[in-house]
Amino acid sequence: MDIDFVRRQFPALNRDFIFMDNAGGSQVLGKVIERISGYLTHHNVQLGASYQVSREAGEKLAYATKQVSKFINASRSEEVVIGPSTSMLLRILSLCISNQWQRGDEVIVTNTDHEANVSCWTDLKEKGINIKIWKVNPETLELELKDLKALLSKRTKLVAVTHCSNILGTINPIKEIAKMVHKAGALICVDGVAYAPHRQVNVIELDVDFYVFSWYKAYGPHLAVMYGRYNQLYKMNGINHYFFKKKDVPYKFQPGNFNFELTYSLLGLTEYFQEMFKHHFPQIATIPFQKKVEKVYEVMASHEEELSGILFQYLNSNPKIRIIGSRFSNQIKRVPTISFIHSELKSDEIVEQVDKYRIGIRFGDFYAKKLIQDLSLEEKSGVVRVSLVHYNTKAEVDRLVWAFSKIL
């Protein structure tokens, strides 16, 4: 990967600071920033009016939404629901879909997920929905399919699972999980927040019913997207005004509409992938957009694997450090979101010492509270988390390792 080309696309990287809290929020592409400014300058009007600027704004936003649907390989743009955050979109989904369920129906959640894909479902206990918890194996720190199979029943309506843990970094076999869930007659809802910055999201290939992630953790603005199968979205009642009908997909799930300038700015992200492909594969003739995205993510994944390998080598060499999750760099099994604890120091003590080196990392539970509790890591102030992305460099990782060597 041409790291110099990549870093030129992110204005915030032109400063003396190392960003390694990317799972909390990535830096934003310059093209995204330009699109926000451009929309507010030239098309900041309400949609649906007869005058020219309003018509142009509507066309631009429809095009942006269509490009987003292509980016995740949805079958139609109506399957794309735009909202302010993953937490809000999942809350909206839980409120709307649960109106179709009966007392005694069941939902399965995991103890590895961010609360965004947990509390919105566990709160349905008030409606008489039974909640089952699919727990990670405490030895392997992986979700095992045999445990899910034991939890599934004729009353299971939905399984909520993360594509990738924001603490463990583990990539879960969503396609295989979806097959098992569908065989049981249930739906699957996937939180892809920790996955989308690192790997391609292909909802048709994964065969999921709902898939949600936040753009601000994937090089875009503070905005989120939820994919939903059209037939599932259609038959739900939404939460918008009473005069919106079942056919008003996705607007019935978007009270107050989506944010116009931020939605339009997503074109900057899709353009980035186009240019990344053109720059790295000039010899390849025209191929479908989804294939371009796939190849770009492959380049990113290889670079990230190399970066995380440097960090893992150091962490594994220190007997006082316990890595929480897979202990080795492997782009098939994990992303470069790496968590650990120290036998003597609390996690907050470590991070606060790293701060003086102008390196941004973080400690805590990262809203995956149930995992931290079940692994008895609260007394350590949670984990130290280093979250790398493709714009990080070998030199940056080397500097972090050097800082750790002074502290740990």
Side-chain angles (χ1 to χ4, degrees):
M1 193 187 75
D2 185 345
I3 187 65
D4 293 331
F5 174 84
V6 167
R7 288 179 69 86
R8 286 197 299 270
Q9 315 307 315
F10 294 87
L13 301 183
N14 295 321
R15 60 186 296 188
D16 181 26
F17 192 84
I18 297 174
F19 296 95
M20 291 185 173
D21 182 28
N22 298 295
S26 68
Q27 295 309 302
V28 182
L29 284 158
K31 288 182 176 296
V32 168
I33 297 169
E34 292 169 7
R35 290 285 187 173
I36 294 172
S37 177
Y39 188 90
L40 290 174
T41 301
H42 302 292
H43 292 94
N44 188 31
V45 297
Q46 185 54 274
L47 303 186
S50 58
Y51 55 85
Q52 182 181 351
V53 178
S54 178
R55 293 199 309 272
E56 290 175 353
E59 290 167 359
K60 288 181 177 296
L61 289 167
Y63 178 70
T65 304
K66 185 176 181 180
Q67 291 301 104
V68 169
S69 71
K70 288 182 178 180
F71 187 78
I72 63 174
N73 200 24
S75 61
R76 53 197 292 181
S77 59
E78 290 89 345
E79 293 181 325
V80 171
V81 183
I82 302 292
S85 66
T86 293
S87 295
M88 180 59 77
L89 286 172
L90 286 168
R91 179 68 63 171
I92 290 171
L93 176 62
S94 72
L95 292 172
C96 295
I97 198 170
S98 62
N99 287 331
Q100 303 173 349
W101 299 342
Q102 307 296 322
R103 296 184 69 85
D105 285 340
E106 299 170 354
V107 171
I108 298 172
V109 299
T110 84
N111 70 337
T112 65
D113 275 71
H114 184 289
E115 274 296 307
N117 202 24
V118 178
S119 58
C120 63
W121 304 112
T122 57
D123 286 350
L124 296 177
K125 290 178 183 178
E126 298 175 2
K127 291 186 174 183
I129 303 301
N130 294 327
I131 307 298
K132 295 180 177 179
I133 301 178
W134 180 14
K135 290 195 173 187
V136 68
N137 182 315
E139 300 298 324
T140 65
L141 295 182
E142 293 184 0
L143 292 170
E144 298 189 354
L145 294 179
K146 64 179 178 60
D147 295 332
L148 173 60
K149 187 175 182 179
L151 293 172
L152 290 165
S153 77
K154 293 181 179 179
R155 297 302 298 269
T156 305
K157 291 298 182 182
L158 182 137
V159 174
V161 61
T162 182
H163 200 159
C164 174
S165 167
N166 71 337
I167 288 182
L168 303 173
T170 307
I171 298 173
N172 292 316
I174 295 300
K175 187 174 181 179
E176 195 172 353
I177 295 170
K179 184 177 181 180
M180 181 180 291
V181 171
H182 290 150
K183 186 176 180 180
L187 302 174
I188 182 171
C189 175
V190 180
D191 177 351
V193 171
Y195 182 86
H198 307 284
R199 304 289 188 273
Q200 181 186 32
V201 175
N202 186 329
V203 294
I204 290 178
E205 173 68 19
L206 293 171
D207 194 25
V208 292
D209 301 293
F210 306 100
Y211 195 104
V212 193
F213 66 90
S214 297
W215 294 105
Y216 76 95
K217 299 185 180 187
Y219 322 114
H222 273 263
L223 198 68
V225 60
M226 178 175 73
Y227 159 81
R229 290 188 194 272
Y230 183 78
N231 65 323
Q232 294 295 334
L233 297 179
Y234 183 89
K235 64 184 181 181
M236 276 185 252
N237 290 322
I239 62 168
N240 214 328
H241 305 305
Y242 74 92
F243 45 81
F244 290 106
K245 308 302 181 185
K246 286 186 180 292
K247 64 180 178 61
D248 294 313
V249 179
Y251 194 26
K252 64 182 179 182
F253 304 107
Q254 298 172 160
N257 219 322
F258 50 68
N259 182 294
F260 297 157
E261 64 269 21
L262 299 188
T263 300
Y264 183 65
S265 78
L266 298 177
L267 285 176
L269 191 143
T270 60
E271 289 168 354
Y272 172 63
F273 276 81
Q274 295 268 24
E275 292 187 7
M276 276 281 283
F277 174 80
K278 184 177 180 181
H279 182 80
H280 288 87
F281 301 97
Q283 74 282 7
I284 298 180
T286 301
I287 59 175
F289 177 60
Q290 286 84 6
K291 285 293 182 182
K292 292 180 181 179
V293 173
E294 178 183 345
K295 294 195 73 64
V296 169
Y297 269 116
E298 288 173 357
V299 171
M300 291 178 176
S302 294
H303 177 71
E304 290 176 346
E305 183 179 59
E306 194 171 357
L307 294 183
S308 59
I310 299 170
L311 182 56
F312 275 121
Q313 184 176 14
Y314 167 75
L315 295 176
N316 283 311
S317 71
N318 189 327
K320 296 180 181 179
I321 289 173
R322 175 190 165 199
I323 297 170
I324 308 301
S326 172
R327 297 173 53 241
F328 302 99
S329 179
N330 184 327
Q331 62 180 279
I332 304 299
K333 294 185 176 181
R334 60 141 53 241
V335 301
T337 299
I338 301 163
S339 301
F340 67 90
I341 57 171
H342 192 274
S343 61
E344 299 172 4
L345 299 171
K346 288 189 174 182
S347 297
D348 57 330
E349 295 171 335
I350 296 169
V351 171
E352 287 165 5
Q353 290 188 65
V354 172
D355 288 346
K356 65 184 179 183
Y357 295 98
R358 296 187 60 76
I359 301 173
I361 62 173
R362 204 163 182 176
F363 71 92
D365 60 37
F366 306 101
Y367 288 17
K369 287 184 175 292
K370 291 177 176 57
L371 180 62
I372 294 298
Q373 291 167 354
D374 288 350
L375 296 180
S376 301
L377 298 177
E378 291 174 294
E379 64 179 21
K380 283 289 186 181
S381 300
V383 297
V384 176
R385 187 179 75 179
V386 179
S387 46
L388 308 172
V389 290
H390 73 287
Y391 57 60
N392 287 121
T393 68
K394 293 180 184 178
E396 289 179 332
V397 179
D398 286 340
R399 181 165 176 80
L400 176 66
V401 168
W402 175 78
F404 277 158
S405 70
K406 302 292 184 182
I407 299 165
L408 307 179

